[in-house]
Amino acid sequence: MMSDNINLVQELLRHYGRKRASPRCLMKVDFKKAFDSVQWHFLRQLLHVFGFPDRFVHLIMKCVETTSFSVAVNGTLYGFFPGKCGVRQGDPLSPYLFILCMEYFSRMLKLASRNSDFCFHPKCNVHDICHLAFADDVLLLSRGDRHSVSTIFQQLIIFGQTSGLTINAAKSSIYFGGVRDSLKQLILHDTGFREGSFPFKYLGVPLSPHRLLASQYSPLLQKLELAVQSWMGKHLTYAGRLELVRTVLYGMVQFWLSIFPMPSNVVHQIICICRNFLWSGNHTNSNSALVAWKQLCLPKKEGGLGLFDLKARNKSFLAKQLWNIHLKTDSIWIKWVHHFYLRQNIIWAVTAHHSSSPLWKSIIMLKDQLLEDCGCQEEAVALLQQWNRGDDSFSVQAYNYFRLSGPQVSWARVVWEKWSMPRHNFILWLAVLGKLRTKDRLRFLQLDTSCVLCGQIEESHSHLFFTCSWSASLWLQIKLWLRINRRMMTLTSAIRGLHTGGNNLEARMRRVSLGLTVYLIWEERNKRTFEGKSSAVGILFRKFQIMFYTVFHFYEKDHHILNVG
């Protein structure tokens, strides 16, 4: 797990900022073009050493050694030449081969750590930790003395000569704690590395001896803002923006949530970026939200959009850490926690010290919350075990426990009909909540509030979609075409009538028709208001038929389409 490495490094960095700390050092190693530098003869011998059958090794090396390349110039390929070394990035086999190379390096370091000249990094000798590696992200750990650093550095040189994975000294750094300046200079001269400063980035996140300040989360916030800027001007619908928030922006945030106890002000800034993009298409406009963010984070069956509540999601990941500690999961991070934090105690009986890491304090706070909610340790353990046994993942079950919940709504099945187009669903959702910007909500601007479709009555949700004479004439044609006999005078009555149907084709067609009609009426209203364009009822009805058949075209192979007109 990437999180295990990150959590352990965070703990080991705790004393680097202290003046009286015992000498220690951490080397962050960068290999020159790691995947492209692996020597083929080394890889072949390595596969044999690990005991793979000769036939298997032959087949693997055929895949590796038959590569060839061309150079793309302005989109056109030129030349054709064979490869001489390396494993191809992006090839499904390459990560496995590269990990075998790093396993060889790991065993070299383990042997070197038994040398009498080598001293372990403080708090690492119990578990024989002299390095942490995830693919080509390698950290070397030792006591801050010249002999220990030299011992482990020599393994880097030998590994580079053997495998082809040589060090990029210009991009490699050493971080010192409790080491004299004179000794630092000698070590830097021996290795050719530069002295690094905190925080530094490891596996995509910043790490520091101190609690990360809100300003140090700026790489994440800037990444979110750059993503939003790249989408500006693309005329995305609300539904399109929602999908980008759900998949892209939240995808960037989720990894950080799984690692750090996220500060509230950082969570607030993330929410602001996502909210502003959803409602206005940029990351700066903060006055355009139609629905409160808390409601958006409710599941669809409770009237929301099903976005994650970031604080609850953060707690769900911490709960997973708590459960792993309780189970004594076989990972280096959990073993380290049990030795240095628990010391033969159980997680439920310990408290956090003022000098403990922010992560450990957050885990203890969560443990205390569960004990308070459940009343005793046995009930808290039973709750965690229940989350672990569910059909969904542990984190999902834990998230549902920590999130705010609301009453279930009766209209979710109609509004979020799976066969409808997402943009139709979204506008219908806003209409049901009464959140569309109809003119009755803009009286403070002292504008003409009469309906732009009929020009007679004040425009409101209840008037616009059903009681307006223009909308009523459109509905009349649609109901005749779909053979709907029920009277529909409001959205509530229309949904009530459509909710009772099952999942047969006719019921789904009618649910699709509601979202499509509301969308077309709202679109027509906006064209008349902002563009001065108008369409007759007959033209809009024809547009309805075309879009209606487009929706069901994708399902005609699996379902029998009704003959409607």
Side-chain angles (χ1 to χ4, degrees), residues 174-373:
I174 300 185
Y175 301 87
F176 296 101
V179 179
R180 302 187 316 273
D181 289 339
S182 58
L183 182 55
K184 284 182 185 179
Q185 296 305 316
L186 291 173
I187 293 174
L188 291 172
H189 178 268
D190 291 344
T191 59
F193 291 2
R194 59 182 178 83
E195 183 177 1
S197 59
F198 297 106
F200 68 90
K201 185 174 285 190
Y202 176 60
L203 295 176
V205 295
L207 299 179
S208 171
H210 313 289
R211 186 184 185 94
L212 287 177
L213 303 174
S215 60
Q216 290 168 335
Y217 287 86
S218 57
L220 172 62
L221 300 176
Q222 290 172 2
K223 195 174 180 181
L224 295 175
E225 290 174 353
L226 286 173
V228 171
Q229 289 174 7
S230 68
W231 299 327
M232 289 172 60
K234 293 188 181 296
H235 306 292
L236 297 167
T237 63
Y238 283 136
R241 293 179 204 154
L242 173 64
E243 194 59 28
L244 288 173
V245 170
R246 190 196 316 276
T247 58
V248 180
L249 299 185
Y250 266 32
M252 297 175 185
V253 172
Q254 182 134 306
F255 178 65
W256 288 63
L257 290 175
S258 68
I259 301 297
F260 299 111
M262 195 73 77
S264 296
N265 54 348
V266 176
V267 171
H268 176 70
Q269 292 181 66
I270 294 170
I271 290 174
C272 285
I273 293 172
C274 296
R275 180 183 61 220
N276 296 338
F277 171 66
L278 176 64
W279 297 116
S280 63
N282 58 60
H283 60 86
T284 56
N285 188 349
S286 59
N287 300 315
S288 59
L290 299 179
V291 182
W293 191 259
K294 286 184 179 180
Q295 182 163 358
L296 267 59
C297 293
L298 294 175
K300 290 181 178 179
K301 64 182 179 182
E302 296 175 13
L305 293 179
L307 292 174
F308 278 127
D309 180 319
L310 298 181
K311 289 184 179 179
R313 189 64 170 163
N314 200 193
K315 282 187 175 182
S316 72
F317 286 120
L318 291 174
K320 183 63 175 178
Q321 294 275 19
L322 174 63
W323 180 240
N324 286 337
I325 293 170
H326 171 77
L327 292 180
K328 297 184 178 180
T329 306
D330 185 19
S331 78
I332 191 67
W333 152 245
I334 301 299
K335 290 177 181 178
W336 194 93
V337 164
H338 273 274
H339 183 83
F340 289 101
Y341 275 130
L342 298 183
R343 297 176 181 175
Q344 307 303 318
N345 291 317
I346 59 173
I347 181 68
W348 306 100
V350 299
T351 57
H353 193 264
H354 71 275
S355 62
S356 301
S357 69
L359 175 61
W360 183 248
K361 290 178 181 177
S362 298
I363 291 173
I364 295 300
M365 286 177 61
L366 185 75
K367 178 262 298 184
D368 293 339
Q369 179 186 340
L370 289 176
L371 287 175
E372 183 178 350
D373 292 348

Side-chain angles (χ1 to χ4, degrees), residues 79-95:
F80 189 79
F81 54 92
K84 295 294 184 183
C85 64
V87 290
R88 290 170 291 182
Q89 294 193 49
D91 183 272
L93 185 63
S94 297

Side-chain angles (χ1 to χ4, degrees), residues 85-223:
C85 64
V87 290
R88 290 170 291 182
Q89 294 193 49
D91 183 272
L93 185 63
S94 297
Y96 296 100
L97 298 176
F98 189 81
I99 288 171
L100 284 177
C101 298
M102 299 310 296
E103 174 65 18
Y104 177 80
F105 180 50
S106 177
R107 296 185 185 189
M108 288 178 62
L109 293 173
K110 285 288 186 182
L111 287 173
S113 67
R114 298 170 186 169
N115 191 311
S116 58
D117 289 336
F118 179 81
C119 294
F120 281 98
H121 187 286
K123 294 189 175 182
C124 288
N125 59 326
V126 174
H127 299 103
D128 294 338
I129 302 171
C130 59
H131 67 287
L132 293 169
F134 193 92
D136 61 336
D137 284 296
V138 178
L139 297 179
L140 305 179
L141 302 158
S142 75
R143 182 178 171 84
D145 62 69
R146 196 173 182 183
H147 289 298
S148 297
V149 174
S150 177
T151 299
I152 206 166
F153 181 74
Q154 286 302 313
Q155 301 307 306
L156 270 176
I157 301 299
I158 296 169
F159 178 66
Q161 295 170 345
T162 307
S163 67
L165 292 166
T166 55
I167 310 165
N168 187 345
K171 292 185 178 181
S172 299
S173 306
I174 300 185
Y175 301 87
F176 296 101
V179 179
R180 302 187 316 273
D181 289 339
S182 58
L183 182 55
K184 284 182 185 179
Q185 296 305 316
L186 291 173
I187 293 174
L188 291 172
H189 178 268
D190 291 344
T191 59
F193 291 2
R194 59 182 178 83
E195 183 177 1
S197 59
F198 297 106
F200 68 90
K201 185 174 285 190
Y202 176 60
L203 295 176
V205 295
L207 299 179
S208 171
H210 313 289
R211 186 184 185 94
L212 287 177
L213 303 174
S215 60
Q216 290 168 335
Y217 287 86
S218 57
L220 172 62
L221 300 176
Q222 290 172 2
K223 195 174 180 181

